[in-house]
Amino acid sequence: MRRILLFLLLIVSFPILALDSFPAISTQNIASTIQGHVKDATTLESLPFVSLRFENEDKGIASNQDGSFTLRNNKDQEYIIASIVGYESQRIKIDETQGSILEILLEPISYHVQEVVVQARKEKYSKKNNPAVELIEKVIANKNKNKIESNDNYQYERYEKLSLSLIDFAGDIKGKKWMNRFDFIFNHLDTSEFSAKPILTISVRESLSDEYRRKKPSASKSIIKAERHEGLDKTIEAQGITAFWAEAFREVNLSDNNIDLLLTQFVSPLSSTSAISFYRFYIADTILLEDMPYVEIQFTPQNNQDMGFVGSIWVSLDSSYALKKAVLNTPRNTNLNFVKAFRIEQKFQQATNGTWGKSEENTSLEIYLAGNKNGFYARKNSSFINYSIDKVPSMVFDFKEDLITLEDAKDKSSSFWAQERHKPLNSKEDSMKLMIDQLREIPIIKILLKTTEIVTSGYVNTSGSKENSPFDFGPISTFLSVNDVEGLRLRMSGTSTANLHKNLFFKGYAAYGFKDEKWKYSSTLTWSFIEKEYHENEAPKNKISLQHSFDISSPGQQFLNTYGDNIFLSIKSGVENKMTYITKTNISFEKENRKGFSYMLWANTQKETATGSLHFLIPDQNELQKEILGFRTSELGIQLRYAWKETFYQQRTRRITLNKNAPVFEIGYIRGIKDVFKSDYDYHRSHFSASKRIWLSGYGYIEGKTKVEKIWGALPYPILLLPNANSSYVMLPEAFSLMKTMEFINDQYAFLDINYHLNGWLLNRIPILKKARFREVVTFKAIKGSLSEKNMPEKNPQLFIFPEDSGAMGKTPYMEASIGLENILKIIRVDYIRRLSYIDEPDIKKHGFRIAVEYKF
């Protein structure tokens, strides 16, 4: 049953959780017969009539029409020989695969074909005078005029099915008496198209939509007419899961230079910029498809660990050079985590005006968390019918959103689906709901579902199921933490859910520090103008909130994607006791749309007092120092954000961006008003930031962010601009790891953060290191700030004296650089960081290490 727990953890938390290694569940099943499946190693298509024999015998058998075979091993044979004309023969050791389905992948002997001249692939590859390269160049030159997207308008109906399954699940429970209650599962087993192993389908999603596209002005609309979801994962953070799988299994357009899949980017075999240099191309054969001749062109990356494909495309022999079919697989050595096999198959149909659109797209994926155990199988089947290039009615594009889901989309009957889905479900998928209902009645499954909900959401509901819970406790990562002022900190927090009210939400916490012996608290009341399914942060947001809190804070330490009292941030690289207590009341309004634009308005008032080793001091008339108990501020603020076509995984407390290819812009303004609620200061503050991921084709990608900020007014240092310092050993975004807290105090600054992820481009070419599949990453961070004289205490005695070791930045920017390795044990990243400027300051750290746990394909 651990396999079901692993499955649930994988599908709901893959982009955000760092999972421990799970023990594989072994099976004891020594077979006297050997079952297997023979496939083309390039296309993964089944190979019929392959000769199979034991090494010491002359007679053997042939694989069936579907590539499957069964051999009886009566003489304890050790090796099987597989051979067929056109493929390299293969010698396979038997004992390595006993007790499971044997998968045999035969490498094709590809040829350069030019009239009747046949040359073996083993010759030195050359792009010059290569007919395959000449042909693919013509395909690339004609790709834009051939694709359906070249029309001014077009529309079609799309059906999509995503199924998720456990691989070889039967072996985990068969024959175990304590698992007798699960015998009904064997009636629902299917077969993996990759390995021919038994699979248990445990989740199915379907959708039916009308798609509309217009070139001028550019617009696209998707209207989902029906959607359906059945499975063990149905009630667990459904919105985020759907977004993740939609992004991981994006629709593939071979005409693009790069293809986004599995949250990474692959070079397209039809890339106008990189295909000829990135791939090797070979003409393999001429075949008939629907009674028309097509040339098969095979391709493989120059380096099989780079992010590319091996496979074939079938091109028409007329002057259009149009695509009829494509099969793409990831090479077995590609630097992809957990992915054993990944395949895309596309078929194309011709529209009335000669352009071509997809008729089918089938994507299959096998994931293994550890070795050849703990496997999961995902398959997305898409079909496209009723193409039309007639002008799309303008009213279709009057909708504000690009994706519209009809109100009754989830209410369609079984008879509707039976009639409208483009292809019927197979018998195992069709009966899955019955199996799921039976599973849910078993106590151990209920426990597994409950555990998964807690681990992935960070919250514990207060009833037997999520469907009925009116209030959830969490996040659990903040229940216990440690810092230098509070000592041991215990916190109890929670939030109401849509089961209590679909528009009104309450959340809050109470925390106690055993060292400072103070209670902290927060309470927030939120009204959502959109009814929610479960929690208030479900997209899109349109809400107003009122909050009152008293808690401790660390000036100069911003925690952008987590809470400051997260237990994982408790371990610090030094003493951090320059802190403040803040009593704050805030009212805010936040609204966003699905096109990526959002804004927030707020007003707040707060009182801040120093604690720990921090003091608010001003000079008195006798050249001594006078301590100020605290100060008050009152603010009005606005922030605008634009992230075009952003996709994200929405959790309760944070949002994880999945696709960072489009730029993200933010601009904000704050007005501090004196004498409102006894506020002490009057000021203006504004900022602007931009960030983007830039893909470098097969050379990895760069993530960059720049930000400028300025504050106007004569102000004490806690209100001024303090660069974000990270004193923990965990990597934090937009933070300087070797800068001391409040080391620099500015009233204006410019910030730059660049991260270059090479994705193993260099290490993949080093014979010994490439087996480890490490990935290189290089970072550079810099900030250039300044402080005007009116904000210097020595020039303005009404201001607080700067803390020890704090001061204005000089003319030189503060800079840090690092070099690191990602993908250590598949989930760990370690960076060595070096401080590049202000290295002669006392008590500074010139270098150090930081660690992160990342779960990436």
Side-chain angles (χ1 to χ4, degrees), residues 112-332:
H112 298 295
V113 179
Q114 187 173 9
E115 296 178 349
V116 295
V117 179
V118 179
Q119 296 174 317
R121 176 186 287 194
K122 290 184 179 180
E123 73 166 20
K124 183 178 180 180
Y125 179 81
S126 173
K127 292 182 286 187
K128 187 177 181 180
N129 298 323
N130 185 336
V133 172
E134 294 172 2
L135 182 55
I136 204 70
E137 286 176 335
K138 293 176 181 178
V139 175
I140 293 172
N142 287 273
K143 66 179 182 178
N144 288 329
K145 74 175 184 180
N146 283 327
K147 63 183 182 180
I148 194 77
E149 292 87 349
S150 64
N151 294 292
D152 291 336
N153 299 270
Y154 67 99
Q155 55 187 302
Y156 58 93
E157 182 180 82
R158 177 172 65 188
Y159 167 75
E160 187 173 288
K161 178 187 70 178
L162 173 65
S163 60
L164 307 173
S165 309
L166 301 172
I167 297 176
D168 206 11
F169 179 76
D172 288 350
I173 63 175
K174 191 172 184 179
K176 297 180 180 179
K177 294 182 179 180
W178 61 280
M179 300 299 290
N180 287 340
R181 293 195 62 182
F182 294 87
D183 284 347
F184 64 89
I185 286 177
F186 293 97
N187 298 324
H188 300 273
L189 294 180
D190 206 343
T191 304
S192 166
E193 296 183 12
F194 279 124
S195 59
K197 293 180 180 180
I199 61 173
L200 179 68
T201 301
I202 204 166
S203 176
V204 173
R205 290 174 170 82
E206 295 181 280
S207 67
L208 186 68
S209 62
D210 288 329
E211 306 291 328
Y212 301 91
R213 305 291 184 264
R214 183 180 66 190
K215 184 182 291 186
K216 296 181 180 179
S218 178
S220 63
K221 298 292 176 183
S222 299
I223 301 177
I224 298 179
K225 301 183 292 186
E227 57 183 5
R228 172 179 169 267
H229 178 203
E230 296 292 345
L232 281 181
D233 59 325
K234 184 176 181 179
T235 61
I236 306 174
E237 302 293 345
Q239 189 184 60
I241 300 168
T242 301
F244 168 67
W245 284 110
E247 187 63 31
F249 273 177
R250 295 180 71 183
E251 190 175 320
V252 171
N253 189 338
L254 289 177
S255 297
D256 294 338
N257 290 333
N258 296 288
I259 296 172
D260 293 319
L261 283 169
L262 302 178
L263 307 181
T264 188
Q265 198 168 80
F266 298 81
V267 178
S268 170
L270 298 186
S271 170
S272 301
T273 59
S274 307
I276 304 302
S277 60
F278 187 88
Y279 287 99
R280 297 184 177 193
F281 293 95
Y282 306 90
I283 293 177
D285 201 357
T286 300
I287 64 172
L288 292 177
L289 296 174
E290 298 178 1
D291 297 326
M292 296 293 292
Y294 292 88
V295 176
E296 179 187 356
I297 305 176
Q298 295 183 348
F299 50 88
T300 182
Q302 299 277 2
N303 186 313
N304 62 10
Q305 284 193 303
D306 288 341
M307 294 300 180
F309 300 100
V310 296
S312 299
I313 57 174
W314 285 261
V315 181
S316 64
L317 283 174
D318 58 24
S319 59
S320 68
Y321 301 102
L323 257 64
K324 178 62 177 177
K325 181 180 176 183
V327 176
L328 296 84
N329 301 277
T330 53
R332 281 170 289 180

Side-chain angles (χ1 to χ4, degrees), residues 22-41:
F22 293 90
I25 303 175
S26 63
T27 59
Q28 302 296 325
N29 182 21
I30 301 175
S32 59
T33 60
I34 300 170
Q35 293 180 306
H37 203 93
V38 189
K39 296 181 181 180
D40 184 305

Side-chain angles (χ1 to χ4, degrees), residues 794-829:
E794 61 270 24
K795 303 288 186 179
N796 187 348
Q798 295 180 346
L799 299 179
F800 299 164
I801 299 172
F802 287 171
E804 186 179 0
D805 299 330
S806 297
M809 187 176 292
K811 294 183 179 180
T812 303
Y814 176 86
M815 296 175 288
E816 288 181 359
S818 73
I819 184 169
L821 289 179
E822 299 180 300
N823 213 39
I824 301 172
L825 301 178
K826 296 184 179 180
I827 62 172
I828 297 173
R829 170 181 168 182

